[in-house]
């Protein structure tokens, strides 16, 4: 399994992902699920991927080929809107899945994959899209300023409590880190390193990129402080009347 | 959906459940999912239920009938071990599900239900069992001192951080409340009132029972304090090096 999320705040975007991939319990490995692209200077896009690794790799491969191919009908550089890029990724994802669908179905394995596309094209605001395995897609809203794929439930409560459009980029990144940390504690199919990318609105480049392992001083100290903070908050809760 | 959990600590047991039931989004209603029984003085048992409401009600009905029927081959009062009571509940659950299975399958609805049985029989320690829809069951362990059914993921991280065998009954009950509160904030299929039952080891009776709604002063104050505590813990997290 996997856990990836993107957060959209007024200041810009935050992307975060874990790195554990497994085919059964005896073949667990480390793969980045955050893909960045070398695009024209008027745009920045990041893709986060959850689901079948072969589908994801095939999709990213096709996206990169289209970017390098001067004759490609469409690519991330020619998209006029981020919405169109989401549509292109959704369509390509469905095509990739269909290629192996019947063979996959025969052995009962799912080739499905979900993606988050986030970025900005000059003249338009930053946006994030969740692209379903069926190729359709949704964007975030001010009331729901984040999107998740993979093992989304464990890490959702902290996002619901903290994230709002006015949250700073750094607080959004810290919250993403806590959300993934909580998920990793409760589900072994999500694992380090954690990747975090921070994009400031209208900068058209990733401002900060971090890859954090248990041994990273920042991650270790956030993890320790959060555990202490939670225990402290818990100890201050009101008592029952009979206590 | 539903969220129920039972916690086993050295001092005894805590049971907690939400009360939202729905058949589609246009038929949501309030049903208790915590069942207590009038048993002999040498035993105490509580059942928590998640899944198909008709299956749950049929099961509880059969359990109560067996208790009232002097000719019943087996009931919760004749069980020599809690393990046997779990087996009896699992078997009865499968029988109930089979009764309507073919009609349910035809319209693609699941009649499955999961249960948690917790309690104590004199001479034995308190125990909790998770009974799967297939009728098999597992108990808790010192490393995993709680069991959940229904929408289990949102509320798991806080249990993983707080609950251990040495946790007091009251702290375990507070933690269960926070776990359900976090789940209700993130998932509309789980809703109030929250029921909490606290059982002190070797007492053979529920010591405290609470039914808490948003308007209950205790719940409102725990909810407010927890939200503040989380925000406070979050604000104290280490900064990134560039901040």
């Amino acid at each position: 399994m996997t856990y990836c999320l993107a957060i959209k705040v007024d200041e810009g975007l935050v992307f975060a992902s874990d790195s554990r991939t497994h085919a059964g319990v005896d073949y667990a490995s480390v793969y980045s699920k955050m893909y960045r692209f070398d695009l024209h200077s008027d745009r920045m896009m990041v893709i986060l991927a959850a689901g079948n690794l072969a589908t994801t790799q095939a999709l990213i491969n096709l996206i990169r080929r289209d970017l390098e191919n001067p004759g490609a009908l469409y690519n991330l550089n020619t998209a006029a809107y981020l919405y169109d890029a989401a549509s292109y990724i959704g369509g390509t994802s469905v095509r990739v899945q269909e290629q192996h669908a019947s063979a996959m179905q025969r052995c009962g394995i799912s080739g499905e994959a979900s993606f988050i596309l986030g970025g900005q094209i000059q003249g338009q605001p930053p946006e994030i899209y969740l692209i379903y395995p069926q190729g359709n897609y949704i964007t975030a809203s001010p009331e729901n300023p984040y999107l998740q794929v993979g093992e989304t439930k464990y890490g959702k409560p902290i996002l619901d409590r903290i994230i709002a459009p006015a949250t700073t980029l750094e607080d959004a990144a810290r919250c993403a880190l806590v959300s993934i940390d909580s998920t990793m504690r409760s589900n072994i199919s999500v694992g380090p390193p954690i990747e975090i990318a921070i994009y400031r609105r209208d900068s058209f480049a990733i401002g900060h990129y971090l890859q954090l392992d248990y041994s990273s001083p920042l991650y270790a100290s956030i993890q320790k402080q959060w555990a202490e903070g939670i225990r402290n908050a818990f100890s201050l809760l009101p008592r029952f009347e009979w206590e």
Side-chain angles (χ1 to χ4, degrees), chain A:
Chain A
M1 206 56 180
T2 288
Y3 177 34
C4 303
L5 73 158
I7 302 171
K8 179 187 169 181
V9 292
D10 296 338
E11 292 183 356
L13 307 174
V14 168
F15 302 91
S17 55
D18 84 309
S19 303
R20 186 159 294 169
T21 302
H22 61 101
V25 288
D26 54 353
Y27 189 61
S29 42
V30 174
Y31 279 92
S32 169
K33 298 158 189 179
M34 182 183 290
Y35 299 90
R36 293 182 283 169
F37 303 91
D38 192 17
L39 302 178
H40 294 164
S41 60
D42 71 334
R43 59 192 60 213
M44 192 290 301
M45 296 183 204
V46 168
I47 294 177
L48 305 174
N52 186 284
L53 186 61
T55 298
T56 298
Q57 291 189 351
L59 174 83
I60 299 297
N61 190 280
L62 288 175
I63 289 175
R64 293 203 197 281
R65 283 190 193 202
D66 283 347
L67 277 170
E68 287 170 10
N69 176 6
L73 282 174
Y74 202 88
N75 66 36
L76 295 184
N77 271 330
T78 62
Y81 295 90
L82 207 70
Y83 186 93
D84 296 349
S87 170
Y88 157 72
I89 292 168
T92 310
S93 161
V94 167
R95 226 170 63 227
V96 164
Q97 290 174 62
E98 276 169 0
Q99 199 184 339
H100 301 287
S102 62
M104 300 288 280
Q105 269 163 12
R106 274 199 298 277
C107 56
I109 295 173
S110 168
E112 288 193 347
S114 305
F115 302 93
I116 292 174
L117 166 70
Q120 185 179 11
I121 296 176
Q122 206 155 39
Q124 299 158 33
E127 286 179 293
I128 52 177
Y129 286 93
L130 168 55
I131 301 159
Y132 294 105
Q134 292 73 27
N136 55 344
Y137 37 93
I138 59 167
T139 188
S141 71
E143 296 72 29
N144 195 77
Y146 63 87
L147 296 170
Q148 306 167 289
V149 289
E151 273 292 354
T152 62
K153 295 184 177 182
Y154 303 102
K156 187 170 186 289
I158 185 66
L159 298 172
D160 288 336
R161 288 186 194 275
I162 300 289
I163 301 296
T167 306
T168 66
L169 276 174
E170 281 76 15
D171 273 348
R174 257 186 294 277
C175 189
L177 196 54
V178 169
S179 176
I180 297 187
D181 178 51
S182 295
T183 306
M184 295 199 312
R185 281 182 64 97
S186 288
N187 188 306
I188 58 155
S189 76
V190 176
I194 299 174
E195 288 180 88
I196 305 254
I198 299 179
Y199 171 73
R200 190 164 293 278
R201 190 188 179 99
D202 300 330
S203 67
F204 301 102
I206 293 296
H208 295 283
Y209 169 79
L210 299 169
Q211 196 183 33
L212 301 167
D213 216 320
Y214 289 132
S215 59
S216 314
L218 176 73
Y219 181 35
S221 90
I222 283 186
Q223 209 180 25
K224 183 165 163 283
Q225 280 276 112
W226 183 246
E228 275 170 25
I230 288 283
R231 275 195 295 271
N232 188 41
F234 187 81
S235 73
L236 295 172
L237 289 181
R239 298 303 185 236
F240 295 106
E241 54 176 30
W242 66 85
E243 282 181 275

